[in-house]
């Protein structure tokens, strides 16, 4: 298909223009795949959205969410101007008033109760918004409270923790070199639905097909036969929360059979062999259900080279997340697959956030939470403590600002957190919607949407399967009454500083006033690649900087640029795992149920349900349960069931499915919008409940404090009698 008029523009199209359609290239910021899209626009209207075929990274890929960007853009529920809550009503106010009100509320709490009394919660879209990255973090900095939280601790904290402990920097996260690998092993990740995570791998299906045509294989370990498992060469059901034992057994086999071939900069092979000596394939089989023989064969195959193992949500947000991530890194390192083509590799991004010091290397334990005493990592406390820090006669937290986050839906015991929010003296949200969390705000400051702002992927170029650099100019100009994320952050930080009676250092003021475009341009111009925003904007899809290349040991940030396989902070996790083994073995033999999560290609965490384009069709909110488990409980497909965890109970329809292994039930997260005060016209009619009403803030991963969202013990009973309620 040919495009009507191809042109590259640096400035947004004026809204009154009504000429022939113009073709523009932008980046989709809805997920980590960061697809390059080709959009036809006529004036303020979108004529079509499709994948940009010539994009060197995403190669034409697009998913239904990318097409739904237009619905997000035109959604009448999306706030364009600030609103203030007056009783149960919302009143639009001017920006100056809104910023002053937000600053007054937050500064007031700090004046009355101290700095730590105001919390910041940074949600997932912060990493997908350039302005939030360049300016947003100035907000927690000016507040100066220890109570900084983010979605990281309901997600990938174990990855950062292990990268920090082994490679010396929390962002030295290796990605599978899918384009050259011979063997891809995916553990607890479902890229056919999620499009990849901590692994920017747009067009996963196409890349998988190419892997196959090269004679390569995909092996999946997951308690559910996911969309990815369904297209794999081999799928092993693994009982939730037991992967650590399987992954350690893989390490065990490699070392026991003398198959190790680590690089010269790797230390501690013998210590590792001793540490994993008791984690045999037979032990792994008894707790996980994965056959010992399969583990032996897989270990040998990985040791044969050009193999990449990647573990994500399923092995991160579980009881032994850090042990899992550590075992995976050890496995890659000892088999010589780390930092090698076909293995797991590190990027060489045009803007190197590690080299340029844009992200700190990580630190731990500089402060602790007030109630449970959990340590910070990298300046953040685990979000599982957020609710409890708001409780008691003298709550540690009395005010909060949420930035692009919906913790009521996304963090453990969300409904309980919602109750706490109603008691706070100040709730401020930087968010475009009145949703499960922001309905409790006193004031909401809505930023522009993805089509109204410039973008450059500071984070996802760092995690991509190919080195490229892409600039994405705003498709439409922002309205006169709208503000970008970065402008809101700038104004709020300045207002907070004024109220604190201090003058920000000049350098900081200059940085705050610099638009993200100017900041990125400066970073590009001073980079080794010698690029600029203008140069990138002239090249639709950006520039291709080539395949990933080996970067170690130079890129290591450890002492002497060496890798220790057995840092004590990681091996410490083994004691807790050994202590749990008898229970894990007993649980494997019982008929108790464990709850796990799931993602659907047309869901986007908790916030894209307000478009019928993504929600129509077969409902997908149900609890999946194995037919044998249904029979054992006298429940039939489609029934309403009561699901009870240690913290709460809820009712939801059940769907019989042998996709899940016996003893496992699965619910998606991000559902359950029908709550008082939510202003999402379509989403409130989407059936479903919030999985995080069942998850337990007391269950955190033992080493990092990451939330445990998978492998939750639950009881399921028929709710037949209550069905008419
Ligand atoms: N049980 C269970 N819980 C989970 C997960 C799970 O698998 N199971 N997954 C976890 C994971 S991986 C994550 S990342 C978290 C996500 O947790 P959160 O980040 O807390 O939640 P999101 O659903 O991503 O909500 C994003 C919010 O940002 C707003 N928003 C969207 N775009 C922008 C923008 O550009 N600027 C601003 N300021 N706001 C914006 C939306 O309106 C919404 O309120 O959930 C976690 N929770
Ligand atoms: N369509 C869509 N795409 C998304 C998102 C979305 O909400 N929707 N969210 C984005 C975000 S924020 C993230 S972090 C990524 C996440 O990307 P993924 O990690 O790929 O996400 P999930 O689909 O949650 O995959 C987790 C898998 O782990 C399995 N699992 C659960 N418990 C265990 C266990 O104990 N062991 C093992 N081995 N497996 C287990 C689950 O069955 C599931 O298949 O996706 C991103 N992309
Ligand atoms: S895969 Fe992700 S980045 Fe690509 S179009 Fe879909 S939502 Fe956007
Ligand atoms: Mo995430």
């Amino acid at each position: 298909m040919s495009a009507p008029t191809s042109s590259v523009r640096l400035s947004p199209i004026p809204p009154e223009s009504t000429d022939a359609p113009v073709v523009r290239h932008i980046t989709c910021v809805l997920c980590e795949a960061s697809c390059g899209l080709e959009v036809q626009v006529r004036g303020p209207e979108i004529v079509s959205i499709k994948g940009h075929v010539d994009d060197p990274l995403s190669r034409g890929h697009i998913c239904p969410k990318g097409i739904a960007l237009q619905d997000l853009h035109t959604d009448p529920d999306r706030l364009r101007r600030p609103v203030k809550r007056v009783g149960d009503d919302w009143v639009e106010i001017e920006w100056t008033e809104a910023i002053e009100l937000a600053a007054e509320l937050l500064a007031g709490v700090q004046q009355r109760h101290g700095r730590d009394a105001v919390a910041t919660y940074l949600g997932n879209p912060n990493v997908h918004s350039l302005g939030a990255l360049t300016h947003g973090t100035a907000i927690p900095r000016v507040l100066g409270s220890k109570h900084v939280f983010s979605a990281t601790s309901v997600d990938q904290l174990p990855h950062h923790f292990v990268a920090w402990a082994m490679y010396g920097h929390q962002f030295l996260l290796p990605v599978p070199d899918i384009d050259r690998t011979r063997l891809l092993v995916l553990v607890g990740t479902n890229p056919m639905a999620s499009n990849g995570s901590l692994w920017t791998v747009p067009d996963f299906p196409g890349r998988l097909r190419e892997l196959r045509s090269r004679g390569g294989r995909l092996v999946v370990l997951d308690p559910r036969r996911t969309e990815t498992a369904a297209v794999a060469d081999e799928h092993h059901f693994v009982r939730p929360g037991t992967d650590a034992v399987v992954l350690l057994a893989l390490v065990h086999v490699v070392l026991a059979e003398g198959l190790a071939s680590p690089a010269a900069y790797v230390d501690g092979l013998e210590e590792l062999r001793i540490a994993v000596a008791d984690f045999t394939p037979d032990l792994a089989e008894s707790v996980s259900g994965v056959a010992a023989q399969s583990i032996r064969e897989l270990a040998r195959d990985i040791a044969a080279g050009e193999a990449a193992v990647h573990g994500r949500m399923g092995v991160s947000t579980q009881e032994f997340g850090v042990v899992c991530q550590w075992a995976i890194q050890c496995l890659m390192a000892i088999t010589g697959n780390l930092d090698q083509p076909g293995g797991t590799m590190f990027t060489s991004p045009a803007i190197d956030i590690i080299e340029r010091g844009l992200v700190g290397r990580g630190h731990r334990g500089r402060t602790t939470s007030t109630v449970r005493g959990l340590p910070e990592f990298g300046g953040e406390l685990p979000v599982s403590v957020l609710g409890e820090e708001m409780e008691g006669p003298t709550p540690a937290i009395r005010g909060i600002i949420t930035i692009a986050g919906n913790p009521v839906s996304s963090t453990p015991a969300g409904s309980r957190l919602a109750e706490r929010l109603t008691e706070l003296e100040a709730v401020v949200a930087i968010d475009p919607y009145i949703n499960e969390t922001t309905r409790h705000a006193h004031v909401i400051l809505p930023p522009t949407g993805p089509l109204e702002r410039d973008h450059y992927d500071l984070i996802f170029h760092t995690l991509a399967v190919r080195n490229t650099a892409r600039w994405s100019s705003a498709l439409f100009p922002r309205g006169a009454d709208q503000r970008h994320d970065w402008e809101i952050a700038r104004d709020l930080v300045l207002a907070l500083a004024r109220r604190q009676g201090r003058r920000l250092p000049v350098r900081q003021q200059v940085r705050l006033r610099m638009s993200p475009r100017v900041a990125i341009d400066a970073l590009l111009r001073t980079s080794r690649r010698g690029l600029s925003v203008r140069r990138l904007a002239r090249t639709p899809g950006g520039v291709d900087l080539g395949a990933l290349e080996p970067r170690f040991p130079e890129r290591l940030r450890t002492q002497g640029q060496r890798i220790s396989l057995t840092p004590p902070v990681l091996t410490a996790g083994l004691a807790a795992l050994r202590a749990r083994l008898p229970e894990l073995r007993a649980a494997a033999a019982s008929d108790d149920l464990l709850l796990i999560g799931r993602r659907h290609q047309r869901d986007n965490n908790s916030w894209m349900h307000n478009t019928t384009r993504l929600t129509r069709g077969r409902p997908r909110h149900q609890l999946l349960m194995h037919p044998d488990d249904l029979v054992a409980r006298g429940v039939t497909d489609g029934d309403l069931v009561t699901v009870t965890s240690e913290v709460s109970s809820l009712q939801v329809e059940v769907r019989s499915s042998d996709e899940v292994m016996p003893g496992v039930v699965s619910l998606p997260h991000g559902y359950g919008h029908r709550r008082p005060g939510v202003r999402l016209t379509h989403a409130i009619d989407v059936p479903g409940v919030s999985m995080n009403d069942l998850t337990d803030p007391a269950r955190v991963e033992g080493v990092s404090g990451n939330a445990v969202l998978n492998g939750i013990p639950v009881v399921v009973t028929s709710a037949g009698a209550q069905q008419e309620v």
Side-chain angles (χ1 to χ4, degrees):
M1 243 176 59
S2 71
T5 327
S6 195
S7 79
V8 177
R9 308 183 62 129
L10 269 176
S11 50
I13 294 168
E16 65 275 10
S17 136
T18 51
D19 330 332
V22 173
V23 172
R24 301 282 307 276
H25 295 97
I26 60 163
T27 300
C28 176
V29 294
L30 292 179
C31 89
E32 298 178 45
S34 297
C35 295
L37 305 183
E38 185 166 296
V39 189
Q40 277 192 41
V41 285
R42 190 189 293 111
E45 270 164 42
I46 290 174
V47 180
S48 70
I49 304 185
K50 58 184 185 179
H52 178 204
V53 180
D54 295 327
D55 189 286
L57 179 63
S58 64
R59 320 181 317 179
H61 186 68
I62 187 167
C63 85
K65 293 198 300 298
I67 295 167
L69 278 169
Q70 57 195 303
D71 306 329
L72 179 62
H73 182 65
T74 55
D75 187 349
D77 289 336
R78 184 165 70 94
L79 302 175
R80 272 108 181 141
R81 309 176 74 194
V83 290
K84 167 170 99 169
R85 189 153 52 80
V86 182
D88 288 338
D89 280 334
W90 292 93
V91 186
E92 276 195 359
I93 53 174
E94 293 302 324
W95 277 101
T96 324
E97 184 190 343
I99 295 283
E100 286 308 319
L101 175 58
E104 182 191 321
L105 283 163
L106 299 172
V109 170
Q110 291 195 309
Q111 274 148 20
R112 290 189 295 279
H113 307 289
R115 294 219 139 185
D116 289 340
V118 168
T120 304
Y121 174 80
L122 298 151
N124 166 273
N126 280 293
V127 287
H128 297 280
S129 161
L130 175 60
L133 285 175
T134 54
H135 290 67
T137 48
I139 295 173
R141 224 175 302 129
V142 75
L143 287 168
S145 162
K146 74 170 184 181
H147 286 116
V148 181
F149 304 93
S150 85
T152 295
S153 53
V154 276
D155 188 347
Q156 81 276 10
L157 183 54
H159 293 254
H160 294 309
F161 195 92
V162 169
W164 165 73
M166 288 182 79
Y167 308 141
H169 196 291
Q170 59 172 330
F171 247 84
L172 279 173
L173 304 168
V175 295
D177 183 19
I178 187 172
D179 293 344
R180 287 177 290 190
T181 198
R182 176 188 59 80
L183 172 64
L184 180 62
V185 183
L186 298 180
V187 196
T189 180
N190 182 15
M192 288 295 282
S194 71
N195 297 296
S197 185
L198 295 187
W199 184 26
T200 290
V201 56
D203 192 22
F204 175 81
R207 292 185 139 101
L208 180 60
R209 275 195 300 277
E210 290 165 10
L211 167 77
R212 282 271 178 53
S213 64
R214 294 196 301 271
R217 292 197 312 133
L218 169 66
V219 177
V220 171
L221 279 87
D222 201 296
R224 187 181 139 231
R225 194 181 341 97
T226 59
E227 294 81 350
T228 307
V231 296
D233 299 274
E234 223 178 284
H235 167 225
H236 302 280
F237 280 128
V238 52
R239 206 169 146 75
T242 65
D243 304 78
V245 188
V246 177
L247 294 162
L248 291 169
L250 290 168
V251 174
H252 172 104
V253 173
V254 171
L255 294 172
E257 299 191 359
L259 305 174
S261 55
Y265 51 79
V266 175
D267 295 325
L269 207 62
E270 186 53 21
E271 289 91 328
L272 183 64
R273 200 184 57 76
I274 296 166
V276 303
D278 50 335
F279 290 95
T280 61
D282 293 316
L283 171 75
E285 176 170 334
S286 73
V287 295
S288 71
V290 182
Q293 191 52 27
S294 305
I295 294 174
R296 285 189 199 99
E297 284 164 15
L298 186 58
R300 290 168 197 148
D301 205 1
I302 292 169
E306 293 181 326
V309 181
H310 189 60
R312 265 307 278 128
M313 280 300 283
V315 286
S316 181
T317 54
Q318 59 141 286
E319 195 177 343
F320 297 103
V322 164
V323 178
C324 288
Q325 298 306 334
W326 170 56
I328 290 171
Q329 296 314 315
C330 285
L331 192 57
M332 291 294 92
I334 63 174
T335 53
N337 283 303
L338 183 69
D339 194 44
Q340 284 302 311
T344 52
M345 300 192 79
F346 300 85
T347 53
S348 309
I351 299 179
D352 189 334
I353 57 172
I354 295 172
E355 217 168 80
R356 309 292 293 253
L358 300 178
V359 182
R361 53 194 292 173
H363 48 73
R364 186 194 193 212
R366 291 192 182 167
T367 174
T368 54
S369 69
T370 309
V371 178
R372 224 187 303 178
L374 290 188
E376 62 82 36
F377 180 82
E380 291 179 19
L381 288 167
V383 73
S384 290
V385 310
L386 179 58
E388 71 198 28
E389 298 280 281
M390 296 175 184
E391 285 166 11
T394 51
I397 294 174
R398 316 254 190 166
I400 190 169
I401 174 165
T402 64
I403 310 176
N406 189 4
V408 168
S409 296
S410 311
T411 70
S415 286
R416 215 156 72 196
L417 178 66
E419 285 168 32
R420 297 287 88 79
L421 291 178
T422 63
E423 293 156 10
L424 296 186
E425 295 169 26
V427 181
V428 174
I430 303 184
D431 203 287
Y433 283 109
I434 302 175
N435 63 18
E436 298 76 12
T437 298
T438 60
R439 68 193 158 125
H440 299 298
H442 296 110
V443 57
I444 304 178
L445 311 167
T448 49
L451 301 186
E452 296 156 338
R453 64 187 189 219
D454 295 339
H455 187 68
Y456 180 88
D457 263 315
L458 275 173
I459 300 293
F460 299 108
H461 280 318
T462 308
L463 299 169
V465 293
R466 194 170 177 84
N467 293 314
T468 69
R470 188 203 289 134
W471 174 260
S472 174
S473 287
L475 198 60
F476 301 114
R478 72 155 164 75
D481 53 355
Q482 288 182 284
R483 294 290 178 273
H484 296 302
D485 268 317
W486 72 272
E487 295 172 305
I488 298 170
R490 174 197 62 196
D491 295 346
L492 186 56
V493 167
L494 293 172
L496 282 165
R498 263 198 313 277
R499 279 172 195 274
Q500 292 168 348
R502 51 184 188 124
R503 258 183 84 79
L504 296 175
V506 175
R507 252 186 50 204
Q508 204 180 331
Q509 293 199 34
V510 170
R511 222 179 287 142
L512 275 175
R513 293 196 160 92
M514 187 187 280
S515 74
R517 177 194 293 238
V518 173
I520 292 298
D521 192 50
L523 285 164
L524 285 171
R525 283 174 191 277
T526 51
S527 75
R528 289 204 189 126
R529 312 278 191 176
L531 295 165
S532 68
V533 165
R534 182 166 285 273
R535 158 115 193 263
L536 292 186
R538 275 207 206 101
T539 324
V543 298
D544 188 6
L545 304 170
L548 305 187
E549 288 166 353
R551 301 294 316 269
F552 277 4
E554 291 74 26
R555 203 161 163 70
L556 281 168
R557 289 293 181 271
T558 48
Q559 209 156 38
Q561 294 189 313
R562 299 192 65 82
I563 295 174
S564 163
L565 294 170
T566 52
V569 71
L570 296 181
T571 50
L574 289 179
L577 176 58
R578 283 197 186 95
R580 277 278 279 148
L581 286 174
E583 277 168 338
L584 291 177
R585 219 184 275 118
S590 79
D591 58 1
D592 295 347
L593 295 174
L594 295 176
L595 174 67
I596 61 168
R598 88 177 171 266
R599 282 177 159 75
H600 190 278
Q601 197 197 34
R602 286 186 294 143
D603 293 332
N604 200 28
N605 291 328
S606 73
W607 71 281
M608 285 289 288
H609 281 157
N610 211 36
T611 153
T612 49
R613 195 192 302 265
L614 295 181
T615 55
R616 66 184 166 220
R618 229 175 110 205
R620 48 182 197 259
H621 64 281
Q622 299 98 328
L623 182 80
L624 300 186
M625 194 186 222
H626 192 275
D628 295 350
D629 288 327
L630 284 176
V631 171
R633 283 159 189 78
V635 176
T636 33
D637 186 28
D639 277 2
L640 198 65
V641 291
T642 303
V643 188
T644 307
S645 72
E646 280 148 344
V647 293
S648 188
S649 179
L650 49 75
Q651 293 184 355
V652 66
E653 294 86 1
V654 71
R655 194 164 91 210
S656 174
S657 168
D658 67 2
E659 261 176 34
V660 283
M661 65 191 288
V664 172
V665 287
S666 158
L667 260 186
H669 77 287
Y671 281 74
H673 306 290
R674 178 159 296 194
R675 300 187 193 229
V678 169
R679 303 276 179 101
L680 297 165
T681 312
H682 298 296
I684 58 164
D685 289 332
V686 174
V689 289
S690 178
M691 176 181 174
N692 283 316
D693 288 346
L694 293 173
T695 51
D696 182 357
R699 281 180 178 265
V700 293
E701 197 277 331
V703 185
S704 68
N706 201 54
V708 174
L709 306 172
N710 285 297
I712 309 292
V714 290
V715 173
V716 177
T717 53
S718 168
Q722 287 106 311
Q723 200 150 2
E724 288 98 62
V725 177

